[in-house]
Amino acid sequence: MVGNLKEVLPKIKSVDELVVIKEEEFFNFQNLIRESVGIKPIDPPNPNEHWKIKQMKARARYRDKVKAKQGGGLTLKSTLVSICCMGIGLNPLNIGEISYMAIPLIMRSFQEREKYEVDIKSVMAGAKKVKPKYWIRNLDD
């Protein structure tokens, strides 16, 4: 069921008025959630797919999962602490006000800004092959 039960139940007259996600719609719902947080949607499973292809896809997903764990990425706790130390107005008292998906975007923007500043300093120091890329831009480019 979708919505707040305490608000919805007093207003409805029959069970049919409840907003419910059915099983056949759930995969689409998951993809909408993925898209809203910036993750690529995945294709629905094909029930008529050959078992070897299913097995290969399962191994590929497992490989990707293991690779992601070995990537050495920061934990959420470390990321939140880092954001609080950036001096951008977020601190332990208000860090909970930002959305989960804002965290990687803030980190990426800050890293781009740092890279730009280092590149500018390198050029000023005489580096020839460094081409600074301005940090305020669409990060998808």
Side-chain angles (χ1 to χ4, degrees):
M1 195 200 94
V2 180
N4 185 344
L5 271 177
K6 291 180 182 177
E7 293 177 10
V8 173
L9 286 180
K11 296 177 185 176
I12 64 168
K13 294 180 179 149
S14 72
V15 178
D16 296 333
E17 294 177 26
L18 287 173
V19 179
V20 178
I21 299 174
K22 297 185 172 77
E23 185 176 350
E24 54 273 2
E25 300 166 342
F26 189 70
F27 195 84
N28 293 334
F29 174 72
Q30 287 178 316
N31 274 339
L32 289 172
I33 298 292
R34 286 182 186 99
E35 287 178 9
S36 70
V37 296
I39 300 171
K40 292 181 182 177
I42 60 174
D43 296 328
N46 181 358
N48 301 325
E49 197 168 53
H50 193 269
W51 67 272
K52 284 192 176 187
I53 295 173
K54 284 182 185 179
Q55 191 177 38
M56 285 175 22
K57 286 183 178 179
R59 285 183 182 161
R61 283 191 303 272
Y62 179 73
R63 182 190 64 236
D64 293 343
K65 185 177 178 181
V66 169
K67 188 176 179 182
K69 282 185 179 180
Q70 293 173 345
L74 291 174
T75 63
L76 180 61
K77 182 169 88 173
S78 298
T79 304
L80 292 176
V81 170
S82 298
I83 289 175
C84 289
C85 296
M86 287 178 182
I88 58 173
L90 291 171
N91 58 49
L93 300 176
N94 65 5
I95 192 77
E97 299 299 319
I98 63 171
S99 71
Y100 177 76
M101 252 339 272
I103 294 168
L105 297 174
I106 290 170
M107 288 294 289
R108 176 110 187 267
S109 266
F110 194 79
Q111 289 169 342
E112 290 290 324
R113 180 176 149 202
E114 280 185 328
K115 182 183 181 319
Y116 176 74
E117 290 173 356
V118 168
D119 287 351
I120 291 293
K121 289 177 183 176
S122 299
V123 168
M124 291 175 70
K128 301 284 184 201
K129 294 184 180 180
V130 177
K131 295 188 179 183
K133 195 171 185 183
Y134 195 57
W135 66 279
I136 299 178
R137 65 180 192 282
N138 288 329
L139 296 178
D140 298 334
D141 298 341

